[in-house]
Amino acid sequence: QSELTQPPSVSGAPGQRVTISCTGSSSNLGAGYAVHWYLQLPGTAPKLLIYANSNRPSGVPDRFSGSKSGTSASLAITGLQAEDEADYYCQSYDTSLRASVFGGGTKLTVL
Amino acid sequence: QVTLKESGPALVKPTQTLTLTCTFSGFSLNTGGMRISWIRQPPGKALEWLARIDWDDDKFYSTSLKTRLTISKDTSKNQVVLTMTNIDPVDTATYFCARLADSGAHDYWGQGALVTVSS
């Protein structure tokens, strides 16, 4: 059982907007620790998509955006494209565990 | 250019000890603030954080695995080593090493090393 909770799957048609939620607790997101998001294509390593709640690394399109409030965070993807079909993970730090923690992952299907 | 690469055995027998090496370049673990994590992913499952070592040799472990894990570094070789004792088939996974940035995000990842545990 992951410390951060994500929906197992989401889907959307090309061009649409989808959001992926990430729910934590008072020892991670609620304690003020940042959330980070990764995209993982099959057979490849995760790639950093959003860091520190809402910042995009160089090269990540502005179709991807992140937000955080209290014990929850979300990743939004606008103008959905076929290449966005992948697994998405959120990650934060848990002060009780003194460890990085990941969500269970969300599979995005582009219809 | 920051790169990381995992190496180790592809097949391990149950009860044996697994040793994985992360060889990195483009930064130094002697530099203040630098940290490296090990993360694994069983086939078809989620990412699981395992351990972390910091530039000052501080070490942190997953609560559920801490009795079986040891992380160490060799700064002269730019390597971080993870050992896992008493390996079991449930430990079959792709093992990644990744650099942990100041933000708390893992900004660079290795390609991963698939380890299968089977007799």
Side-chain angles (χ1 to χ4, degrees), chain B residues 37-56:
Chain B
S37 290
W38 280 96
I39 296 149
R40 72 178 179 180
Q41 184 173 39
K45 295 190 177 181
L47 300 167
E48 178 186 18
W49 180 84
L50 300 176
R52 177 187 119 201
I53 190 164
D54 295 354
W55 80 100
D56 59 0

Side-chain angles (χ1 to χ4, degrees), chain A residues 6-103:
Chain A
Q6 299 179 235
S9 63
V10 298
S11 62
Q16 283 190 333
R17 177 182 186 270
V18 297
T19 61
I20 299 172
S21 61
C22 175
T23 303
S25 68
S26 58
S27 61
N28 42 67
L29 301 187
Y33 291 100
V35 67
H36 320 288
W37 292 92
Y38 303 87
L39 171 158
Q40 186 179 33
L41 296 169
T44 69
K47 169 191 168 185
L48 182 62
L49 202 57
I50 298 287
Y51 68 94
N53 304 327
S54 58
N55 298 278
R56 285 185 306 276
S58 173
V60 173
D62 59 6
R63 301 187 298 106
F64 297 89
S65 62
S67 63
K68 172 181 172 280
S69 177
T71 58
S72 295
S74 65
L75 172 71
I77 309 171
T78 58
L80 208 54
Q81 300 179 3
E83 67 208 49
D84 298 333
E85 189 161 287
D87 293 326
Y88 292 81
Y89 292 91
C90 60
Q91 177 244 311
S92 185
Y93 179 81
D94 192 287
T95 187
S96 295
L97 299 173
R98 298 183 74 199
S100 294
V101 289
F102 285 92

Side-chain angles (χ1 to χ4, degrees), chain B residues 20-33:
Chain B
L20 293 167
T21 301
C22 174
T23 304
F24 57 90
S25 64
F27 66 98
S28 170
L29 256 185
N30 279 326
T31 302

